[in-house]
Amino acid sequence: MGQNMSLLAEISPKSIISSKKRSALIVISVAAVYLVKQYVEQEKKKQIERATARAANGQDNRNRKQRRIGVDARFLAQIKKLLPICIPGIASKESALLVSLAMVLIARTWLDIWFSGFNGHVVKAIVSRDRKTFIARAIVEFGFMMWPMSIVNNSLKLTISALALAFRTRLTRYAHEQYLNDITFYKISNIDNRIQNADQLLTQDIDKFAENLSHLYSDIAKPVVDMALFAYKLGEAIGREAPFYMIAYFFVSGALLRAISPPFGKFTAMEQKLEGDFRFTHSRIITHSEEIAFYGGGERERAVVNGSFDKIVRHVKKIYRLRFANGIFDSVLVKYCATMTAYYLLARPVFDPKYATEFMGKLDSDPTKIMEDYSRNSGYLVNLSQAVGRLILAGRDLTRFAGYTSRVAELFDVLEDVNKGRYERTMVNNDSNEANISRAVTPNDLKGKVITKDGVIIFDKVPIITPNNDLLVKELSFKVETGMNCLISGPNGCGKSSLFRILGDLWPLFDGVVTKPSASKLFYVPQKPYLALGTLRDQVIYPDTKAQARSKDFNDDELMELLNVVHLGYLAKREGGWDAVQDWADVLSGGEKQRIAMARLFYHRPQFAILDECTSAVSVDVEGIMYTHARTLGITLFTVSHRHSLVKYHEWLLRFDGEGGYEFRKLEEGDLTTPFTFSHGKTGKASKKKFELGQDDEGEEADNEKNSSSSSNNSD
C-alpha cells in the first residue's frame, strides 16, 4: 500500500501536467477548426453577395460601356444625321448665315494681316524716332481702322449667336413635330422608357447643342490670356506707373459703359423666366399625357408650346440686337482705345528720356536694341488689349459637345422609333431572383387589328397586356352598340383602365380585333380632369380653339347653357368672364373641375363617353342631372365607378374579378344593390404573368378563359 502511494506520488504530477497539455491542445484545436469554418462560411457569403451584385449591375455596366461618349465614329454618324435638320438646304437661312460667318472670318483675317503690317510700320517709326510718322500711324490710321475692326469682331459674335438661334429653332420645331405627332408624347413617357427627362432634352439640351455647334466654326481653339501677367510685364518694361494708368483708364471706361449699357441683368432674368415657362409647358404635357392623348389634344398643345417658344425667340433677338450695339462701344472703349493708351505708354520712354527704362528707350541703345525691346513689348500690348475678346471667344470642349450631340441624337432616335410603332422598355421581372431585362417591341409583334366603324365598340379575343408585358386578361370579348350604356367594375389592377388605354390606342394591341368609332367620336373624362393653359372658354371647348367652337355654332351663350347644366353658371361671373386667364388647376375645386369636364363632354357630344370615376367629387343629385343629360344627348356611357347611385343609368355590366376572369351581361334587378360583387360565370386562373410574344392560346388556361367569357358569348 505504501509502495503504491509512493509510486502514485512520483507519477501524478507529470501525468496531471501532461493531461492539462492534452486538454489545452484539444480546446485550441477545436477553437481553430471552428474559427476556420466560420471564416470559410463568411467568405462564401461574401462571394455570393458579390456575384449577386455583379449579376444585378452587369447589364447596366455593359450598357455604360456600350454607350461611352466621345469623338468617334458614332459621334460622326450622329452629326451626319443632325446636320440636315439644322441646315435643310442650300437656300435656307442657315446656309446664308454660314456664308456670312465665312465672310466675316475672312474679313477678320484680312484685318489681322493689316494689323501685322501696321505694327511693323509703328515699330519702324519708333526705331527711327520719327514722331510725325508715328503720330500718323499710331493715332490717325489706327483711330480710323479701329471702327471697322470693332464692327467685324462684333459682327462675328452676332452671326454666331444668330446661327445658334437658327439651329435651335430648326431642332426645336422638328422635335415638336415628332413629339406632338398623334400621341407620341404619351408613348415616350409611358410606353418607351429609354428617355426619362424628355423636357430637359427638348429645352436645355437642344439649346446647348445648337450653341456649341455654332461655335465650332469660329472660336473653339481660342486661348485664354492671363491679363495680370501682361500688366506685370508691361510695368517692368515701361515703368511701374504705366499699368496704373491702364487700370485707371479701365475704371473710367468701365464706369462709362455701365452708365450707357442696357439692363442686361434684367433681360437675363426675364430670359430665364421665359425658359422656365417654356419648360413648364412641356412638363404639363408629361404630367397629363394620358388625358391629352384621350382628348386628342396634340395639335392644341403644339400651338401652346410653340407660342411659349416664340416668346423666347422674340426676347432673345432683342437681347442680341442690344448686345451688338453695346458690344461695338464696349470694344472701342475697353479694347481699342485702351490699345491707343497702351501705345502712348509704350512709346513714352523712347520720346521722353526721363521715362526711359533698362528695357525700353535708353539713349545709348542702338536701333536694333530698341526694335527688339519694342517688338517684345508690343507682344504684351496686343495680348493685353485683346484679352477680353479672347475670353469671350474662348473655345468649347469638343468632348462636351459630343455629350450634347449624343443626348439630342438619342432623343430623335427614340422619337423616330416610337412614331414607327417600335419601343423599348425595361421589363420588371416578378421573380425577385431574376434580373430585369430590356426588351424591344416592333410592329411585327403587334398582331392585333383595329377596325373603324361608327356606332359600335367590339373587343374580339383581345388580350389585356400592360406595357411591362403583364397579362391581366387573356381574351376579352364583348360588344357595345349605341344606347347600350355599360357599367364597368372590378378591383384595382384588374384591367379597367387598361381596357380604356387599349381602346384609346394608348397601349399596343398585341392580338385580337378591336372595332370602334373614329377617335373624334370617343371622349374620355378622367377622375382628375386636365385643365389647359388659357381662358375659361378654353376649359370647356378643349382641345378646340375659339375659332373651331364658332365653326360648330357654339357662342358664349351656348357655352353658358352647358355650364348651367352642370350647375356652374356662376363661374364666368366669379372669374371675370369667358376670357379670364387663371391657373385653373388651383382656382377650381375638385368638384368644379369634374363638372367642367362634364360640360366639355356635352360640348363635344361624342358617340361614346368613357367616364372613369369622373363624378367622385360631385354630389349625387348633380351627378344624376349630368348623367341624365348625357343620355338625353344620345351619348353612350362607359362608366367606371363604385357608386351604387349610378347603376340605374346603365343597362349592361362588364365586371372583372381581378384574377383574369370577367363577365359581360345585362344588368338585373339584384345588381341595383350588389353591382360590384362577382357572382356570375366562372373566373379564369390568375393571369398576372409575363406575356410571351407569339405564344399560342392552348391548354388549361385557354379553356378557363373560354368558361369565364361564356356569358359574353351568350349575350352577343
Side-chain angles (χ1 to χ4, degrees):
M1 181 70 177
Q3 187 177 1
N4 292 336
M5 289 297 293
S6 62
L7 181 61
L8 183 61
E10 293 177 1
I11 297 175
S12 294
K14 294 181 179 180
S15 300
I16 291 172
I17 293 173
S18 178
S19 177
K20 288 181 178 180
K21 288 182 178 180
R22 286 194 299 270
S23 299
L25 184 61
I26 292 173
V27 171
I28 292 172
S29 300
V30 171
V33 171
Y34 175 79
L35 292 175
V36 170
K37 183 178 180 181
Q38 290 294 318
Y39 175 80
V40 172
E41 291 178 353
Q42 290 179 0
E43 285 298 315
K44 287 182 178 180
K45 289 181 180 180
K46 290 180 180 179
Q47 290 177 0
I48 293 174
E49 291 174 356
R50 285 194 293 266
T52 303
R54 285 194 299 269
N57 298 326
Q59 185 66 34
D60 292 337
N61 292 334
R62 286 191 294 272
N63 289 339
R64 282 194 289 270
K65 291 179 181 178
Q66 294 173 358
R67 300 296 299 276
R68 179 176 293 178
I69 297 173
V71 182
D72 51 15
R74 181 170 176 266
F75 166 73
L76 295 177
Q78 291 171 341
I79 285 292
K80 184 179 179 181
K81 183 176 181 180
L82 293 175
L83 279 180
I85 301 174
C86 299
I87 311 171
I90 297 177
S92 64
K93 180 179 68 174
E94 292 75 17
S95 296
L97 286 172
L98 286 174
V99 173
S100 300
L101 180 56
M103 294 176 64
V104 172
L105 289 174
I106 292 172
R108 184 178 180 182
T109 302
W110 182 85
L111 288 173
D112 289 340
I113 295 173
W114 169 86
F115 187 80
S116 297
F118 163 79
N119 194 49
H121 290 302
V122 173
V123 170
K124 183 179 179 181
I126 293 173
V127 170
S128 62
R129 299 179 185 271
D130 187 350
R131 184 187 296 268
K132 183 178 179 180
T133 303
F134 173 80
I135 293 175
R137 293 287 186 181
I139 304 301
V140 178
E141 184 177 356
F142 189 80
F144 173 78
M145 290 299 297
M146 66 182 179
W147 289 99
M149 292 172 67
S150 178
I151 292 173
V152 167
N153 283 333
N154 283 279
S155 296
L156 178 63
K157 300 173 190 176
L158 176 65
T159 307
I160 292 172
S161 299
L163 190 61
L165 182 61
F167 286 160
R168 185 186 181 189
T169 302
R170 290 286 186 185
L171 291 167
T172 302
R173 298 291 190 195
Y174 179 83
H176 286 172
E177 290 293 330
Q178 298 293 315
Y179 184 63
L180 294 171
N181 178 37
D182 198 18
I183 58 171
T184 301
F185 56 87
Y186 172 82
K187 293 181 178 179
I188 204 173
S189 301
N190 297 274
I191 305 298
D192 190 300
N193 63 0
R194 282 176 286 178
I195 292 179
Q196 302 299 327
N197 53 345
D199 56 338
Q200 173 83 18
L201 290 163
L202 289 164
T203 56
Q204 295 185 3
D205 288 344
I206 285 181
D207 179 31
K208 296 298 183 183
F209 171 81
E211 182 181 354
N212 279 265
L213 181 60
S214 66
H215 281 81
L216 282 177
Y217 301 97
S218 59
D219 64 346
I220 193 171
K222 296 294 182 182
V224 177
V225 178
D226 190 349
M227 297 177 62
L229 174 63
F230 293 109
Y232 169 77
K233 290 292 185 179
L234 279 174
E236 186 180 57
I238 60 176
R240 294 181 179 179
E241 71 277 11
F244 290 102
Y245 290 149
M246 292 295 299
I247 293 173
Y249 173 81
F250 280 121
F251 270 111
V252 172
S253 60
L256 179 61
L257 285 172
R258 184 181 180 88
I260 65 175
S261 295
F264 286 115
K266 177 181 177 181
F267 292 150
T268 301
M270 178 59 69
E271 182 181 358
Q272 294 303 313
K273 180 182 181 301
L274 293 175
E275 291 283 1
D277 294 342
F278 178 51
R279 183 170 180 174
F280 177 65
T281 58
H282 282 287
S283 298
R284 286 177 62 87
I285 293 175
I286 293 174
T287 303
H288 305 287
S289 58
E290 181 171 331
E291 293 91 335
I292 299 173
F294 272 116
Y295 288 138
E299 289 289 335
R300 177 64 183 278
E301 296 303 321
R302 182 188 303 168
V304 172
V305 296
N306 283 340
S308 179
F309 178 69
D310 288 338
K311 292 180 181 178
I312 297 175
V313 172
R314 289 192 295 269
H315 183 73
V316 170
K317 284 183 177 179
K318 177 182 178 181
I319 293 177
Y320 286 164
R321 289 192 295 268
L322 291 174
R323 283 180 177 169
F324 172 71
N326 185 76
I328 293 175
F329 290 97
D330 183 86
S331 295
V332 168
L333 291 174
V334 177
K335 192 173 182 181
Y336 298 120
C337 286
T339 302
M340 292 174 61
T341 304
Y343 271 133
Y344 166 74
L345 294 173
L346 184 61
R348 187 177 59 170
V350 176
F351 299 117
D352 194 340
K354 69 179 182 180
Y355 295 109
T357 66
E358 182 179 357
F359 298 97
M360 192 70 184
K362 292 181 67 176
L363 292 177
D364 58 349
S365 298
D366 58 28
T368 305
K369 181 65 169 63
I370 294 176
M371 184 174 182
E372 179 184 356
D373 292 340
Y374 188 83
S375 296
R376 181 186 65 247
N377 295 336
S378 65
Y380 300 153
L381 166 67
V382 172
N383 282 283
L384 180 62
S385 63
Q386 295 182 353
V388 177
R390 285 195 299 271
L391 288 174
I392 294 175
L393 300 176
R396 302 292 180 178
D397 189 355
L398 193 59
T399 304
R400 185 180 177 186
F401 174 66
Y404 290 125
T405 303
S406 176
R407 289 177 60 81
V408 175
E410 180 185 17
L411 170 66
F412 289 158
D413 287 342
V414 174
L415 289 173
E416 183 179 351
D417 285 348
V418 173
N419 279 315
K420 291 180 178 179
R422 182 183 183 277
Y423 70 89
E424 292 183 14
R425 186 179 181 88
T426 300
M427 306 297 181
V428 179
N429 205 307
N430 295 330
D431 188 352
S432 59
N433 295 325
E434 296 185 14
N436 299 334
I437 59 173
S438 180
R439 186 172 189 176
V441 177
T442 65
N444 294 331
D445 299 320
L446 306 179
K447 301 178 181 178
K449 182 180 180 182
V450 177
I451 300 175
T452 301
K453 183 179 180 182
D454 282 348
V456 66
I457 294 176
I458 303 175
F459 273 56
D460 184 12
K461 296 182 179 180
V462 175
I464 305 298
I465 303 168
T466 70
N468 194 53
N469 272 18
D470 292 320
L471 182 62
L472 302 181
V473 178
K474 193 170 186 179
E475 283 186 356
L476 178 63
S477 297
F478 67 87
K479 179 179 180 181
V480 173
E481 296 179 333
T482 300
M484 296 173 58
N485 301 291
C486 182
L487 181 67
I488 302 177
S489 67
N492 292 333
C494 66
K496 303 188 299 294
S497 297
S498 303
L499 163 67
F500 294 153
R501 293 183 180 112
I502 293 176
L503 183 62
D505 294 328
L506 271 64
W507 282 9
L509 181 61
F510 286 96
D511 207 348
V513 180
V514 174
T515 304
K516 61 175 185 175
S518 61
S520 62
K521 297 177 181 178
L522 290 170
F523 202 80
Y524 175 68
V525 184
Q527 184 177 14
K528 296 181 179 180
Y530 173 69
L531 299 176
L533 297 174
T535 64
L536 176 61
R537 183 187 301 103
D538 292 332
Q539 310 314 308
V540 178
I541 65 176
Y542 185 84
D544 286 354
T545 62
K546 182 178 179 180
Q548 290 173 322
R550 292 286 187 269
S551 66
K552 294 180 179 180
D553 296 328
F554 269 94
N555 55 33
D556 291 345
D557 293 335
E558 277 82 17
L559 296 179
M560 180 59 72
E561 292 179 5
L562 298 181
L563 290 186
N564 289 331
V565 171
V566 297
H567 288 211
L568 286 179
Y570 60 87
L571 201 57
K573 183 177 180 180
R574 188 187 77 182
E575 300 301 334
W578 286 104
D579 293 315
V581 177
Q582 304 279 358
D583 186 356
W584 301 107
D586 293 334
V587 170
L588 302 179
S589 66
E592 289 174 336
K593 294 175 186 177
Q594 291 187 344
R595 284 181 280 166
I596 281 285
M598 292 299 289
R600 189 183 295 168
L601 169 68
F602 301 151
Y603 164 78
H604 287 284
R605 291 188 65 172
Q607 291 182 0
F608 293 88
I610 301 169
L611 310 178
D612 192 355
E613 298 282 0
C614 67
T615 56
S616 59
V618 179
S619 61
V620 175
D621 55 339
V622 175
E623 176 187 68
I625 293 172
M626 293 190 298
Y627 269 79
T628 301
H629 187 70
R631 289 166 61 98
T632 302
L633 294 177
I635 301 173
T636 302
L637 307 177
F638 250 105
T639 304
V640 174
S641 179
H642 292 88
R643 281 191 172 186
H644 289 75
S645 58
L646 292 178
V647 177
K648 59 185 177 183
Y649 301 107
H650 303 81
E651 297 86 24
W652 292 82
L653 175 66
L654 176 60
R655 184 157 49 190
F656 298 90
D657 66 354
E659 297 181 352
Y662 72 95
E663 61 177 347
F664 177 70
R665 59 179 176 81
K666 211 166 188 181
L667 280 167
E668 300 173 355
E669 185 175 352
D671 294 322
L672 294 175
T673 56
T674 60
F676 310 114
T677 303
F678 197 95
S679 58
H680 295 268
K682 298 181 180 180
T683 66
K685 292 184 178 180
S687 299
K688 291 186 178 180
K689 65 174 186 176
K690 293 297 178 187
F691 174 75
E692 297 296 333
L693 298 178
Q695 69 178 7
D696 295 329
D697 296 334
E698 297 178 349
E700 183 179 356
E701 290 182 346
D703 294 337
N704 290 334
E705 188 60 40
K706 292 178 181 178
N707 292 332
S708 69
S709 60
S710 58
S711 58
S712 169
N713 297 332
N714 292 335
S715 299
D716 292 343

